[in-house]
Amino acid sequence: MRAGGTLAVGCLALALAACRAEGDPATGFPPSGRDVAPIVSDAFSTEDVRDRVGEFEAVVAAARVRPGMSVADIGAGEGYYTVRLSPLVAAKGRVLAQDIVPETRDRLAERVQREGLDNVTVRLGEPADPKLPPGGLDRIFLVHMYHEVTDPYAFLWHLVGGLKPGGEVIVVDADRPVKRHGIPPARLKCELAALGLRLDRFERMPDGDTFFAAFRAAGPRPAPSAIKPCAEPA
């Protein structure tokens, strides 16, 4: 289950099974060499439950989101983060909400219009390319979705291009195997490091299973052919 994120149609057909990321030889990006969790819902939990445990407040405080920032909610799903980020960044800020499922994107666009969120833009992305504006974002949120990314090195390569200097990639996920809809923190750190992203902050969330991780660019992103993938898990 998730807050956002998507998989290729072939993986969706596996239902509760997991598929393996294969990469794209035509583009030069390496395969991840690990499992990918299938999507079983476009919702991670009910919004009331998430509000009661203070999830959003804890995450944005750790992410140091401020009015006037430009932020992205990747794999936005039903828009739990999108609609709450909108008033937080305020009128001078901007929120880009993205999903790769057209129907999910359309439902979120309707919600944004219905709630009058004038600083939110909703876009359709691709599994390996979130289609971000180059160098335009202070924070990019990947909430309960990274374990569903089919080609993480291609995805991250395009993602990094959307960061402003000093911008951060914020990952919220569960510390458990990918097949159980999580990502071990060591594996996450390794994969993002392959794209020049350094772990800046790490916190355990109150439930003990979920973690928050903030990454910053430690140098230029490598050429696709120069990416050194992490070793396959044992």
Side-chain angles (χ1 to χ4, degrees):
M1 299 175 69
R2 61 156 184 141
T6 48
L7 264 180
V9 173
C11 293
L12 288 172
L14 295 178
L16 295 177
C19 60
R20 185 169 290 273
E22 299 298 339
D24 185 355
T27 63
F29 291 105
S32 72
R34 63 161 170 82
D35 295 317
V36 178
I39 296 173
V40 294
S41 172
D42 66 356
F44 172 70
S45 179
T46 68
E47 297 195 4
D48 286 345
V49 168
R50 298 172 82 176
D51 281 343
R52 282 200 298 272
V53 299
E55 175 189 334
F56 177 78
E57 288 79 5
V59 168
V60 295
R64 303 170 184 172
V65 177
R66 301 183 301 275
M69 280 187 166
S70 293
V71 302
D73 182 12
I74 305 301
E78 296 178 333
Y80 176 77
Y81 273 76
T82 296
V83 301
R84 288 161 178 79
L85 284 166
S86 174
L88 186 61
V89 300
K92 293 185 178 180
R94 293 291 180 267
V95 179
L96 173 61
Q98 180 262 24
D99 207 282
I100 68 168
V101 178
E103 295 80 7
T104 301
R105 183 275 313 269
D106 292 346
R107 288 196 300 271
L108 179 54
E110 291 172 0
R111 180 178 185 180
V112 166
Q113 184 176 23
R114 184 170 63 249
E115 298 189 17
L117 306 177
D118 295 333
N119 61 348
V120 176
T121 300
V122 182
R123 289 186 180 176
L124 185 69
E126 296 177 358
D129 184 356
K131 301 291 186 181
L132 301 178
L137 295 161
D138 297 290
R139 299 288 185 272
I140 300 175
F141 286 86
L142 311 176
V143 181
H144 293 292
M145 60 77 68
Y146 184 73
H147 52 270
E148 297 170 355
V149 175
T150 54
D151 292 298
Y153 297 115
F155 173 81
L156 290 170
W157 190 89
H158 291 292
L159 190 88
V160 169
L163 285 174
K164 289 181 179 179
E168 296 181 345
V169 176
I170 305 298
V171 181
V172 178
D173 219 313
D175 183 1
R176 54 177 180 253
V178 174
K179 287 184 178 181
R180 294 179 52 215
H181 295 270
I183 184 84
R187 180 72 190 195
L188 175 71
K189 183 179 177 181
C190 180
E191 291 184 4
L192 271 68
L195 274 298
L197 291 164
R198 182 192 70 241
L199 181 64
D200 187 71
R201 301 185 304 285
F202 182 91
E203 298 181 19
R204 296 282 177 179
M205 304 301 285
D207 66 5
D209 186 41
T210 305
F211 65 84
F212 165 98
F215 294 84
R216 287 178 178 251
R221 63 181 178 179
S225 60
I227 296 171
K228 296 180 179 180
C230 302
E232 291 195 25

